[in-house]
Amino acid sequence: MWGRNVYDSISKFLQFQLTVNIVAVIVAFTGACITQDSPLKAVQMLWVNLIMDTFASLALATEPPTEALLLRKPYGRNKPLISRTMMKNILGHAVYQLTLIFTLLFVGEKLGQTRCSAHGEWGC
């Protein structure tokens, strides 16, 4: 029961870590190429890593095993650690996060402005 719980916790940890790392690398690289300045500075990347590792390790250590874990079949020795479903989740969440981040990065200023009724221009 404990072994299956540890395996599930490691899978969740990897899924979370890989998603955040993929997003952080793509944002830093693409932002630096397009805007000539990285949207995530070094200190911000350190904070992202600190928060990411803290939450992931808490999730890894705080979930107790349940009897339901014993009801499923055990995984084989040759089963990959990152399954097809996990890869779909990682890529899906990464695309979602990248869409939000790039929307805020490139059109966020326009989204925050309102039209001035007196002049009909943005950001009076």
Side-chain angles (χ1 to χ4, degrees):
M1 182 167 48
W2 280 96
R4 292 181 185 194
N5 187 49
V6 168
Y7 184 89
D8 288 348
S9 295
I10 290 171
S11 294
K12 292 174 189 175
F13 176 81
L14 279 174
Q15 188 170 334
F16 180 76
Q17 289 283 90
L18 289 173
T19 302
V20 174
N21 280 328
I22 288 170
V23 171
V25 167
I26 291 174
V27 167
F29 180 77
T30 307
C33 290
I34 293 174
T35 64
Q36 304 301 321
D37 187 30
S38 179
L40 293 172
K41 306 294 184 226
V43 173
Q44 292 169 327
M45 285 294 274
L46 288 172
W47 274 106
V48 168
N49 259 336
L50 181 69
I51 292 168
M52 174 178 73
D53 292 341
T54 303
F55 287 146
S57 62
L58 283 173
L60 180 66
T62 57
E63 192 168 334
T66 62
E67 294 290 329
L69 291 172
L70 297 175
L71 299 177
R72 73 164 191 239
K73 292 180 0 181
Y75 297 127
R77 289 179 185 258
N78 298 329
K79 183 186 179 291
L81 193 55
I82 300 173
S83 67
R84 186 179 301 269
T85 303
M86 283 177 61
M87 189 57 69
K88 287 179 186 176
N89 286 339
I90 290 168
L91 294 176
H93 284 279
V95 167
Y96 172 72
Q97 290 175 21
L98 287 169
T99 303
L100 285 177
I101 290 171
F102 285 140
T103 300
L104 291 173
L105 183 63
F106 296 118
V107 295
E109 194 172 310
K110 289 181 183 176
L111 293 175
Q113 293 179 349
T114 57
R115 279 198 180 259
C116 180
S117 58
H119 304 304
E121 297 174 2
W122 289 100
C124 290

